Amino acid sequence: MSTERPAKESHKMIAAIAKFCESVLFKNRIPFLLFFLITSLYLGYQAAQLKPDASFQKMVPASHPYIANYLKYENELRPLGNVVRIVVENPKGDIYSKEYLDTLKKITDEVFYISGVDRGNLKSLWTPNVMWYEVTEEGMVAGHIVPEGFDGSPEKLDEVRTNIVRSGRIGSLVANDHKSTIILAPLLETDPKTGQKLDYGQFSDNLEVKIRQKYESEHIKIHITGFAKIVGDLIHGSKAIAVFFAITFVLALVVLFVYSRCWRSTLATILCCSLAVIWQMGLVRLLGYGLNPYSILVPFLTFAIGVSHAVQNINTMAFERYSGKSNMEAARTTFSLLFIPGTIALLCDAVGFSTLLVIDIGVIRELAIGSSVGVLVIILTKMFLLPLMMSYVGVTDACLKHQAKRANGTHALAHVLSRVTEPSIAKLAVVAAVLIFGVASYLARDLKIGDLDPGSPELRVNSRYNQDSAFVVANYATSPDVFVTMVTTNKDECGSYPVASAVQRFQWQMENVEGVESSASLFTGMKRVISASNGGNLKWSAISRDKFISNAAHRTLPSELYNNDCSMVPVMIFLSDHKAETLTRVVSAVEKFATENDTKDMQFKMAAGNAGIEAATNMVIKKAERQMLLLVYGIVALLVLWEFRSWRVTVAIMVPLYITSVLCEAIMAQLGLGVKVATLPVIALGVGIGVDYGIYIYNRLEHFLNQGMPLKKAYFETLKTTGTAIILTGVMLALGVLTWVFSDIKFQADMGLLLTFMFLWNMIGAIVMIPALVAVLTPSLNQRQ
């Protein structure tokens, strides 16, 4: 923290680089402006081609062993994986009426022809793959649920009722109260004819237009659940983001003008930040990415970061013009003063974003790449284009008058805040920070990994999707939260007695795990068939060692209960919810059983089903959380150390950031928000962006300390010249994400709330804690005269 540091060779080199860039830039203003114009037109064209891009595999940790196991048997497990459930309800009666069953047939036919549906595995009371079985005096008989020649007569309706009971589908395809039925539609991720990926937004719109809007009436209610519907609703909700962006744009315009009183610098800043957004979107398109519900937030961040950093340019430009310099001189001085601290601050932002790459989930990695691209673009538009524009447009007379008024003010707030450098007050501030850290750490101890609410936590509790999900849970015995364990065997051995015995013991143990409602497998059906083949005697409801009996039962069951070469049997475990604690208990139980019972010929492998995929996601998040935090803090600290060459300064800047991170975790724990795909990026973003305040503050503080000023006076001068701009930086960042709170998409609202808190608290921490820590760590600075 020595005042001799500017003489060091490294700083001479940095100053030389800044001087060289300044000379090249301002001696070639026209060529650079033409470059920015041409590039903006080209990237604007590319940005206009950007399209929504969401897929199942991008939303899950594709390289996790659980997901690898699922993808290996994707075709066989499709009915248990990416499935849409369409519930057709009769709110004024039951399903046993001609009108209801005719409507159900029309809806089934409509769903059959919707692009993306795996038609061969579509299930409904009307599809031929849903049958009833019965053993009579004449042997085994079977048939379709809705009989041939159905005409809606009382006799046929009674037959349908009997067939449903005989099929054993009550609680799965038919509601417990017989007032609704489910159409089960597995999806194809890729169209086998065109090779095009499934467009989840269009698929969701098709469900709404062709099913819900077309058939819903006072006599028919439609409820739709499934991963594809969640993604579709997220895409639909994200369209409102344009409105929030417009609000943010207007707020930025107003706040900048009120702060600067200069329409020229305000418009120049807004133009540069808008170009940064266009460049970011255009480059993302060139990199081969699209927009998903997560990456659609990146333009907000790009704009907010650009505006918040540009505040420093406006402030410095106005001060230099007020000092008597021309537009050109003031622009060049602004560039020289802000080039190094601004670039370092933005690089820290990029580091914060890039650490998200350790999270092995496609949408988060695209968020990381898009955000990092946005920050790098801001370096060009804010650091180079804005000073060029300001060298031409300058500032207005109103701005200079406002600057004179500020310069000649009493600076009462700056006087108050500068007292935090006094030894006694600095120590009190540090003690207060320690207490805040302790309380936050205590409150954050309850922070959980994963979802903490039923339904889809990405959407609001009162959203249509979550209401539909609650209806399914309340009226059907088989929960929509399914955890699938795959039992692999040698070829043609999946139905053998040793496998059957192990699977039955596995099901019994899993059904005794808290949170497990029931289970089902090939052998659940085989026991029922064997019992039925013996007069329905319950004594025969067991797996037989006799291969002929087992094989006969095996052949009557649907092929979805085993794979083509009979080397894998899925075991479906139906859960009460997909909360983190439930999934942890289930995974532990499966792992324990597998460890004790796996052999070279039979292995129990996880996991498929929506709950299995959620469990894999939670594991990836848990592993990545600490790794990401260590990376973001470590790399940002190294950049700060490289810039200021002092471990004391590095500690002073980094400690407030860590306290804010712990406070954020405490707030998440108290609000019932788990660490998941939507919330984990917040901490990395908050640290990467939050360090900006510290870099700008200490850069100016160091400037005055190098003039020999004592710490208190140096900090007072820092607050006079850049304090208001620092506060405005925090306000602009917060405004940029605050509008997300009103989004219909809950995870966007959660991110907006948490980022708003982190941006504002980091700003407060930087203004109060950095000078206090500097005073405590280097008391000699207060002893200067």
Side-chain angles (χ1 to χ4, degrees):
M1 210 175 289
S2 168
T3 59
E4 302 299 323
R5 291 198 316 101
K8 292 182 178 179
E9 290 300 322
S10 59
H11 278 253
K12 287 183 179 180
M13 181 181 70
I14 293 172
I17 292 172
K19 190 68 178 175
F20 173 77
C21 291
E22 175 200 333
S23 176
V24 172
L25 182 67
F26 286 95
K27 286 181 179 178
N28 300 278
R29 289 190 296 171
I30 299 299
F32 273 105
L33 287 173
L34 286 174
F35 163 77
F36 279 106
L37 174 62
I38 295 169
T39 304
S40 297
L41 291 173
Y42 174 70
L43 292 178
Y45 171 77
Q46 293 295 330
Q49 311 300 313
L50 202 59
K51 296 179 180 179
D53 178 24
S55 70
F56 177 73
Q57 291 193 19
K58 284 186 178 181
M59 300 287 283
V60 300
S63 63
H64 190 276
Y66 290 5
I67 306 302
N69 290 337
Y70 162 69
L71 294 176
K72 182 178 179 180
Y73 298 104
E74 183 178 14
N75 290 332
E76 293 87 348
L77 296 172
R78 185 172 290 114
L80 305 173
N82 194 1
V83 178
V84 168
R85 290 175 171 83
I86 302 168
V87 183
V88 183
E89 178 197 6
N90 182 358
K92 296 189 175 182
D94 58 29
I95 64 174
Y96 305 110
S97 69
K98 182 179 186 302
E99 294 74 20
Y100 175 87
L101 289 172
D102 285 346
T103 302
L104 180 65
K105 185 177 188 303
K106 292 176 183 177
I107 296 174
T108 301
D109 292 341
E110 198 86 56
V111 173
F112 183 86
Y113 288 106
I114 292 178
S115 178
V117 171
D118 182 4
R119 295 166 184 169
N121 286 307
L122 179 70
K123 287 185 178 179
S124 153
L125 295 186
W126 281 95
T127 56
N129 56 357
V130 177
M131 303 183 70
W132 59 267
Y133 299 89
E134 186 178 37
V135 178
T136 67
E137 294 85 349
E138 300 174 355
M140 181 79 73
V141 293
H144 298 144
I145 301 293
V146 181
E148 296 292 336
F150 176 79
D151 56 8
S153 64
E155 294 77 13
K156 290 294 184 181
L157 290 173
D158 286 341
E159 192 174 343
V160 170
R161 188 191 302 269
T162 302
N163 291 345
I164 286 174
V165 173
R166 289 189 293 193
S167 71
R169 297 284 182 169
I170 297 173
S172 56
L173 280 186
V174 178
N176 297 327
D177 60 4
H178 294 256
K179 290 186 176 182
S180 66
T181 64
I182 285 179
I183 299 172
L184 205 63
L187 303 183
L188 298 168
E189 188 70 23
T190 304
D191 191 311
K193 290 184 178 179
T194 64
Q196 297 293 317
K197 290 183 178 179
L198 176 62
D199 185 336
Y200 283 90
Q202 184 61 51
F203 181 80
S204 179
D205 290 343
N206 285 338
L207 291 177
E208 291 295 328
V209 174
K210 295 182 178 181
I211 306 300
R212 203 192 300 268
Q213 294 178 15
K214 185 174 181 179
Y215 292 101
E216 199 164 57
S217 66
E218 61 177 322
H219 300 290
I220 293 292
K221 295 294 181 185
I222 304 294
H223 310 273
I224 308 173
T225 66
F227 171 81
K229 195 67 182 75
I230 294 174
V231 175
D233 286 355
L234 291 177
I235 292 172
H236 183 268
S238 295
K239 292 178 180 177
I241 216 79
V243 177
F244 299 143
F245 189 86
I247 295 172
T248 301
F249 186 89
V250 172
L251 286 173
L253 200 66
V254 171
V255 172
L256 283 178
F257 180 75
V258 170
Y259 170 74
S260 66
R261 300 294 198 279
C262 178
W263 61 267
R264 294 178 191 172
S265 56
T266 297
L267 292 180
T269 298
I270 294 295
L271 175 61
C272 287
C273 296
S274 300
L275 287 178
V277 171
I278 293 171
W279 281 34
Q280 185 271 333
M281 296 175 71
L283 288 170
V284 164
R285 166 73 168 71
L286 289 174
L287 289 172
Y289 299 113
L291 288 176
N292 60 58
Y294 292 84
S295 65
I296 201 170
L297 301 176
V298 173
F300 265 91
L301 286 173
T302 301
F303 185 79
I305 294 169
V307 171
S308 66
H309 279 265
V311 168
Q312 302 294 329
N313 289 64
I314 294 174
N315 182 66
T316 307
M317 182 75 183
F319 179 81
E320 296 300 328
R321 285 285 287 112
Y322 173 71
S323 300
K325 294 181 179 178
S326 66
N327 288 340
M328 174 64 85
E329 293 170 335
R332 295 185 73 142
T333 302
T334 299
F335 178 88
S336 297
L337 288 174
L338 298 180
F339 179 71
I340 297 302
T343 302
I344 294 296
L346 287 168
L347 286 175
C348 288
D349 295 349
V351 165
F353 296 140
S354 62
T355 56
L356 294 174
L357 290 170
V358 303
I359 306 173
D360 183 23
I361 297 174
V363 289
I364 299 302
R365 288 187 167 177
E366 289 188 18
L367 172 66
I369 292 169
S371 302
S372 299
V373 167
V375 171
L376 295 176
V377 163
I378 292 170
I379 292 177
L380 293 176
T381 57
K382 182 262 183 186
M383 292 295 173
F384 294 92
L385 178 59
L386 184 57
L388 283 179
M389 294 180 65
M390 295 303 294
S391 70
Y392 283 104
V393 302
V395 297
T396 62
D397 292 338
C399 175
L400 294 176
K401 290 178 182 178
H402 186 60
Q403 183 66 29
K405 183 179 178 181
R406 280 209 303 249
N408 297 320
T410 58
H411 302 290
L413 181 60
H415 277 293
V416 172
L417 290 175
S418 64
R419 292 196 62 194
V420 77
T421 60
E422 296 175 7
S424 57
I425 297 178
K427 291 175 183 177
L428 285 175
V430 172
V431 170
V434 171
L435 290 175
I436 291 172
F437 175 76
V439 172
S441 298
Y442 177 78
L443 295 175
R445 75 194 190 287
D446 295 327
L447 188 64
K448 307 292 184 183
I449 301 292
D451 294 331
L452 305 182
D453 298 310
S456 172
E458 292 85 6
L459 301 169
R460 301 233 181 227
V461 174
N462 61 352
S463 67
R464 181 63 186 266
Y465 181 90
N466 279 331
Q467 291 178 15
D468 289 349
S469 179
F471 178 87
V472 174
V473 171
N475 291 280
Y476 289 82
T478 52
S479 165
D481 294 316
V482 185
F483 187 101
V484 179
T485 300
M486 292 153 279
V487 184
T488 60
T489 68
N490 295 327
K491 185 178 179 181
D492 298 324
E493 291 294 323
C494 70
S496 65
Y497 181 79
V499 175
S501 176
V503 169
Q504 286 211 94
R505 285 187 285 108
F506 174 67
Q507 287 184 242
W508 182 84
Q509 288 197 20
M510 293 309 300
E511 287 173 0
N512 285 281
V513 174
E514 183 183 353
V516 175
E517 293 186 342
S518 62
S519 67
S521 71
L522 168 68
F523 307 108
T524 308
M526 285 176 65
K527 288 194 295 182
R528 191 162 53 242
V529 171
I530 293 172
S531 175
S533 301
N534 289 275
N537 192 327
L538 292 179
K539 291 182 179 180
W540 286 89
S541 182
I543 298 301
S544 174
R545 294 176 183 268
D546 190 316
K547 285 188 176 183
F548 296 102
I549 295 176
S550 295
N551 290 342
H554 192 163
R555 285 195 297 269
T556 64
L557 295 171
S559 60
E560 68 194 51
L561 296 176
Y562 54 92
N563 68 340
N564 292 334
D565 62 0
C566 197
S567 62
M568 188 277 294
V569 177
V571 180
M572 287 76 75
I573 304 169
F574 299 98
L575 310 181
S576 57
D577 54 61
H578 56 262
K579 294 180 181 178
E581 296 94 334
T582 303
L583 296 178
T584 300
R585 285 194 296 268
V586 170
V587 168
S588 297
V590 175
E591 286 180 340
K592 181 181 178 183
F593 186 89
T595 301
E596 296 172 352
N597 293 274
D598 277 359
T599 66
K600 65 175 183 176
D601 298 323
M602 178 185 64
Q603 293 88 39
F604 288 77
K605 296 182 178 180
M606 295 181 278
N610 66 310
I613 291 166
E614 186 80 20
T617 303
N618 289 352
M619 291 179 183
V620 168
I621 293 295
K622 185 175 183 178
K623 179 182 177 182
E625 181 190 16
R626 295 303 166 192
Q627 186 179 359
M628 183 199 73
L629 289 177
L630 287 173
L631 280 173
V632 69
Y633 278 109
I635 299 174
V636 168
L638 286 174
L639 285 171
V640 173
L641 182 62
W642 180 81
E643 162 66 4
F644 296 111
R645 296 298 196 278
S646 169
W647 68 266
R648 293 182 177 86
V649 174
T650 303
V651 169
I653 291 175
M654 297 303 298
V655 165
L657 294 177
Y658 186 67
I659 293 174
T660 302
S661 294
V662 177
L663 275 170
C664 182
E665 291 181 351
I667 290 174
M668 288 170 61
Q670 298 310 303
L671 291 179
L673 301 175
V675 180
K676 51 188 178 180
V677 174
T679 53
L680 183 57
V682 169
I683 298 174
L685 300 180
V687 173
I689 297 173
V691 75
D692 297 354
Y693 309 110
I695 290 173
Y696 280 122
I697 284 177
Y698 196 80
N699 181 261
R700 295 302 295 163
L701 178 63
E702 183 184 52
H703 172 75
F704 293 113
L705 288 174
N706 289 337
Q707 295 178 12
M709 295 182 185
L711 180 59
K712 183 177 180 180
K713 180 172 176 56
Y715 191 53
F716 173 70
E717 293 297 326
T718 298
L719 292 173
K720 274 177 58 178
T721 56
T722 196
T724 305
I726 292 293
I727 293 172
L728 191 64
T729 296
V731 171
M732 290 308 307
L733 280 168
L735 285 177
V737 295
L738 181 61
T739 51
W740 299 0
V741 173
F742 304 101
S743 173
D744 289 336
I745 301 174
K746 189 174 184 296
F747 86 78
Q748 290 181 353
D750 293 341
M751 288 181 75
L753 178 66
L754 295 174
L755 283 174
T756 298
F757 165 77
M758 291 194 77
F759 291 159
L760 291 177
W761 191 261
N762 273 329
M763 179 261 292
I764 294 170
I767 289 176
V768 175
M769 283 305 303
I770 289 177
L773 286 167
V774 170
V776 170
L777 293 171
T778 316
S780 60
L781 293 176
N782 266 318
Q783 297 170 6
R784 294 179 176 177
Q785 299 299 321

